[in-house]
Amino acid sequence: MSSNFKKPFSTPNLNIFETSEDASIYVAHLIAALIRERQKQGQHAVLGLATGTTPKIVYQELIRMHNIEGLSFSNVISFNLDEYYPIPSNDERSFSYFMHNHLFQHVDIAPHNIHIPNFNCSNADIINHCVDYDQKIIKAGGIDIQLLGIGRNGHIGFNEPGSDFDSVTRLVDLDMATKEDALRDFISLEEVPSHAISIGIHNISRAKKIILLALGERKSKIIKTALQGEVTTMLPASVLQDLSQVEFVLDKEAGMLLG
Ligand code: PGA
C-alpha cells in the first residue's frame, strides 16, 4: 500500500489515496485493527457493513487477512445497512446474497452474529422488525465501525434525499436515481424493488467511528457537495460534516473536485 496521496484541504478526517485499492486496503486494515484489539480485550467488535461496488476490495482484503494472516471474525457482530423489500432470500440481487458471497462465507463469523434487515418479514411485521433491529444494535453495545458508501444522490444506506437526520430503521421508498443505479443488477426499472428497509441517519450517527469510502470519478461531484456544500436533509451524506468521528476515505478520482 502506498502512503496517503494528498490532503487537498485542511480537514483532519479526510484521507485521499492514489488508487482505489490503496484506499480500500487502508479501510480493511482499520477494521482488522479493531477486530484484533477487541479480541485482545476478550470483547466483540460490532461492524456496520455496506453493500455495492465500493466495499468489494475491502472485503477481499479482509478475506485475504483471514486466510493468510489468521484474522478471525469469531468475535465480530455485524449489522448491514439495508436490504431491498421485498426480495426473496435466495435472490442473487439481495444484499444478503451479496454479503454471504463477498464476505461471510469466506470467514469464520458466527451465523447468529450476522444481522441484515429481513427481506422475509410480512408487511404487518415491518415496524416490529425495524424496532427489533435497532434494539439489537443497542444490545450489542452500538456500532464500533460503520462502513458507508455514498449514492450519486447523496444517500447513505438507503436514506434517500429528504430523510430526517433523526430517522431510525424503517421501510423507505427508493429514489429514482437509486433505482436507475440498481439497473446494473436488474433487467428493467419495473424489476427493481420500489422499497427497502434501511437503518436511519440517527443510527449511523451514533456509531463510534464512521468511515465513508468513495471511489472513482463518478463519485467526485457528490463528494464535493456532500463534504463542502450545505448540510441539508436533501443531501443525506452532508450530515457527516458535523460528526467528529467520521473519516472520509477517497481515491484521487473521487476527491478530484475538492479544494
Ligand atoms: P456503489 O453504491 O458502491 O455501488 O457505488 C454506493 C451506495 O449507493 O451507497
Side-chain angles (χ1 to χ4, degrees), residues 68-238:
I68 311 289
E69 297 174 9
L71 175 69
S72 172
F73 287 69
S74 57
N75 67 325
V76 170
I77 299 177
S78 72
F79 289 91
N80 263 79
L81 281 168
D82 45 22
E83 177 61 283
Y84 291 123
Y85 183 86
I87 197 160
S89 56
N90 57 355
D91 191 310
E92 292 187 10
R93 296 155 310 182
S94 74
F95 293 163
S96 176
Y97 186 93
F98 176 101
M99 288 309 301
H100 283 90
N101 199 28
H102 286 91
L103 182 64
F104 297 147
Q105 72 185 28
H106 306 286
V107 297
D108 59 341
I109 187 169
H112 66 265
N113 283 339
I114 295 171
H115 303 88
I116 299 178
N118 194 333
F119 33 74
N120 284 327
C121 62
S122 69
N123 262 327
D125 283 343
I126 286 181
I127 291 180
N128 286 342
H129 174 69
C130 292
V131 170
D132 188 52
Y133 202 74
D134 289 345
Q135 281 172 352
K136 282 187 174 133
I137 295 174
I138 292 168
K139 203 168 153 226
I143 291 172
D144 291 310
I145 292 185
Q146 175 65 63
L147 178 59
L148 296 176
I150 183 170
R152 111 179 119 95
N153 60 1
H155 74 199
I156 44 177
F158 273 143
N159 293 288
E160 303 286 30
S163 298
D164 285 342
F165 287 169
D166 59 3
S167 54
V168 292
T169 302
R170 69 213 183 282
L171 185 69
V172 295
D173 288 339
L174 293 182
D175 205 54
M176 186 47 82
T178 299
K179 288 197 218 165
E180 284 167 4
D181 285 346
L183 271 178
R184 64 191 165 200
D185 296 323
F186 294 86
I187 291 164
S188 66
L189 263 184
E190 291 67 48
E191 257 203 10
V192 179
S194 52
H195 293 85
I197 296 175
S198 178
I199 75 168
I201 295 180
H202 175 74
N203 303 99
I204 292 171
S205 304
R206 295 291 301 272
K208 289 161 204 153
K209 182 172 178 70
I210 301 171
I211 301 170
L212 184 135
L213 178 64
L215 305 173
E217 190 184 343
R218 72 191 176 99
K219 295 294 166 78
S220 59
K221 271 197 201 145
I222 196 65
I223 280 295
K224 165 94 179 152
T225 328
L227 272 68
Q228 297 184 322
E230 187 195 347
V231 175
T232 163
T233 55
M234 292 317 290
L235 202 161
S238 66

